[in-house]
């Protein structure tokens, strides 16, 4: 009798979650422009939408510095505007791999899924990077703060542990039910564009490199740099990549990367689709890290459901 009862419980919770997700996604207009309902982000970042070319004052040099006399460079027939940015991104990746063991932060994300722009989601993060010398695997703990329907949810995932499955529990109506899920399963992906295996600032840089290398082969683009930007209280440099022409293979019209000048880590990524009739680019996805503290000496208990400060059933 136990197996049918567990199956019934799982199906009930699954159908309830699907219904809630459908209701939630139905609240948003596919034509929502960046900035709609985003007062919190507007107060945290200096630019929450694409900047115009006359606002950007420089192009990136191969050394990762700024030139003030042109927007892009093509010093040889084989040069591409993305080449300096790709070189800089590889420097950031190496820096994070060598210098960042772990960190805590609050991440604010918003994603367009199935054509609908979802609610702003806030979560507390604990991340421990993969360190072969220390014998640690990529590990993540998430605690959801917003929206209200997700508040209290906790998720733990450790690379290659527990069959590479995540451990999660819901709060409120779903009542402290604990789930053991594949990261890319239907239930784990509800309300998420990417699985938890893609989380973290290192993976963000790796994805930027992957996108840049792909886009380099597809055609030209504009790379612009704007100093004196901020995310929260951190001084940042903004790199903006624009695909003026919509081509097959390009998955954004404009992308923005905010890099902490002092700590050399990305704090925000946002991508916008090509404008519709009103001329405003559409927000596709954004991920912003605030209150980020590096190398805080996280331990195994920070990634265990048995942590007494967590609320896993």
């Amino acid at each position: 009798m136990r197996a049918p009862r567990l199956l019934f419980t799982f199906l009930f919770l699954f159908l309830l979650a699907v219904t809630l997700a459908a209701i939630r996604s139905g609240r948003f207009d596919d034509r929502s422009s960046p900035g709609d309902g985003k007062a919190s982000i507007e107060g945290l970042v200096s630019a929450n939408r694409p900047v115009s070319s006359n606002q950007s004052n420089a192009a990136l040099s191969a050394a990762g510095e700024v030139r003030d006399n042109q927007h892009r460079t093509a010093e040889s027939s084989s040069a591409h505007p993305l080449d300096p940015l790709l070189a800089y991104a590889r420097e950031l990746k190496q820096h994070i791999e060598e210098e960042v063991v772990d960190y805590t932060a609050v991440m604010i994300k918003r994603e367009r899924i199935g054509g609908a722009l979802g609610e702003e989601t806030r979560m507390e993060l604990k991340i421990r990077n993969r360190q072969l010398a220390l014998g640690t695997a990529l590990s993540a703990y998430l605690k959801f703060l917003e929206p209200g329907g997700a508040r209290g949810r906790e998720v733990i995932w450790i690379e290659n542990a527990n069959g590479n499955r995540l451990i999660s529990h819901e709060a409120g109506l779903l009542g402290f039910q604990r789930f053991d899920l594949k990261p890319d399963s239907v239930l784990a992906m509800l309300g998420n564009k990417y699985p938890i295996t893609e989380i973290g600032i290192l993976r963000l840089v790796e994805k930027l490199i992957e996108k840049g290398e792909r886009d380099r082969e597809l055609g030209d683009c504009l790379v612009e740099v704007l100093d004196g930007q901020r995310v929260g209280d951190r001084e940042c440099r903004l790199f903006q990549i624009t695909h003026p022409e919509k081509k097959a293979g390009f998955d954004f019209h404009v992308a923005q990367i905010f890099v902490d000048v002092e700590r050399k880590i990305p704090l925000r990524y946002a991508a916008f689709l090509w404008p519709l009739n009103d001329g405003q680019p559409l927000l596709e996805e954004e991920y912003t890290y605030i209150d980020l503290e590096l190398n805080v000496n996280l331990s195994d208990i920070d990634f265990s459901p048995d942590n007494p400060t967590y609320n896993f059933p």
Side-chain angles (χ1 to χ4, degrees):
M1 293 294 293
R2 185 178 179 184
R5 184 178 301 172
L6 289 174
L7 179 60
F8 175 81
T9 301
F10 177 81
L11 289 174
F12 170 77
L13 294 173
F14 174 76
L15 291 173
L16 181 59
V18 170
T19 301
L20 290 173
I23 294 173
R24 186 176 300 161
S25 64
R27 297 175 185 169
F28 303 102
D29 187 347
D30 183 46
R31 297 173 61 84
S32 298
S33 61
D36 290 347
K38 292 176 59 190
S40 56
I41 281 291
E42 288 177 358
L44 287 170
V45 301
S46 51
N48 73 318
R49 65 186 65 212
V51 299
S52 62
S53 294
N54 59 9
Q55 289 177 271
S56 176
N57 59 7
L60 189 65
S61 75
E65 297 301 326
V66 171
R67 294 178 181 176
D68 59 8
N69 61 348
Q70 55 185 357
H71 286 303
R72 58 182 174 177
T73 181
E75 296 179 353
S76 72
S77 59
S78 61
H80 190 281
L82 283 172
D83 289 346
L85 184 54
L86 281 168
Y88 183 61
R90 294 185 184 103
E91 292 177 8
L92 294 182
K93 177 177 180 290
Q94 182 177 356
H95 169 74
I96 294 170
E97 289 173 333
E98 295 177 353
E99 302 296 335
V100 179
V101 176
D102 56 37
Y103 55 94
T104 60
V106 171
M107 185 174 75
I108 306 169
K109 74 168 185 173
R110 202 174 187 196
E111 299 171 323
R112 187 176 295 272
I113 302 174
L117 186 61
E119 290 180 277
E120 185 177 280
T121 300
R122 286 180 177 236
M123 61 189 79
E124 294 178 356
L125 296 182
K126 296 179 181 179
I127 303 290
R128 183 167 60 181
N129 284 335
R130 184 188 306 111
Q131 297 283 336
L132 297 179
L134 300 176
T136 59
L138 176 60
S139 308
Y141 165 80
L142 288 61
K143 182 177 181 180
F144 286 72
L145 307 175
E146 298 292 343
R151 186 179 298 123
R153 178 188 301 155
E154 293 178 289
V155 181
I156 289 174
W157 174 75
I158 302 173
E159 185 178 36
N160 297 324
N162 190 37
N164 209 39
R165 299 164 73 90
L166 62 84
I167 303 170
S168 173
H169 77 79
E170 300 292 334
L173 185 62
L174 295 182
F176 296 102
Q177 294 291 323
R178 182 163 164 171
F179 300 96
D180 189 2
L181 304 169
K182 292 182 178 179
D184 58 353
S185 64
V186 173
L187 193 56
M189 291 298 295
L190 282 175
N192 297 295
K193 189 173 181 178
Y194 305 105
I196 195 172
T197 54
E198 299 291 297
I199 199 166
I201 58 175
L202 177 58
R203 183 59 186 141
L204 173 58
V205 174
E206 291 173 342
K207 290 172 68 176
L208 292 175
I209 294 172
E210 293 169 5
K211 285 177 178 285
E213 291 175 340
R214 177 204 62 197
D215 288 2
R216 188 186 186 283
E217 302 302 316
L218 293 174
D220 205 1
C221 66
L222 180 67
V223 178
E224 301 170 287
V225 179
L226 189 62
D227 282 318
Q229 300 300 295
R230 64 173 180 84
V231 172
D233 61 354
R234 302 298 304 183
E235 180 184 355
C236 293
R237 176 174 289 169
L238 166 60
F239 302 94
Q240 181 169 286
I241 302 98
T242 302
H243 297 133
E245 183 181 353
K246 188 175 183 179
K247 290 183 178 180
F250 287 148
D251 57 9
F252 63 81
H253 171 43
V254 179
Q256 295 180 324
I257 305 103
F258 291 72
V259 177
D260 187 316
V261 174
E262 178 185 0
R263 299 186 292 183
K264 297 182 179 179
I265 56 173
L267 293 182
R268 173 173 164 81
Y269 172 78
F272 303 84
L273 301 176
W274 281 265
L276 296 179
N277 296 334
D278 57 9
Q280 288 292 322
L282 299 177
L283 178 64
E284 171 68 8
E285 56 187 3
E286 64 178 354
Y287 309 91
T288 306
Y289 292 85
I290 61 173
D291 301 329
L292 192 150
E293 300 292 335
L294 297 174
N295 299 328
V296 294
N297 196 30
L298 298 174
S299 63
D300 290 347
I301 194 63
D302 290 293
F303 306 100
S304 170
D306 297 326
N307 188 317
T309 65
Y310 301 162
N311 292 312
F312 281 86

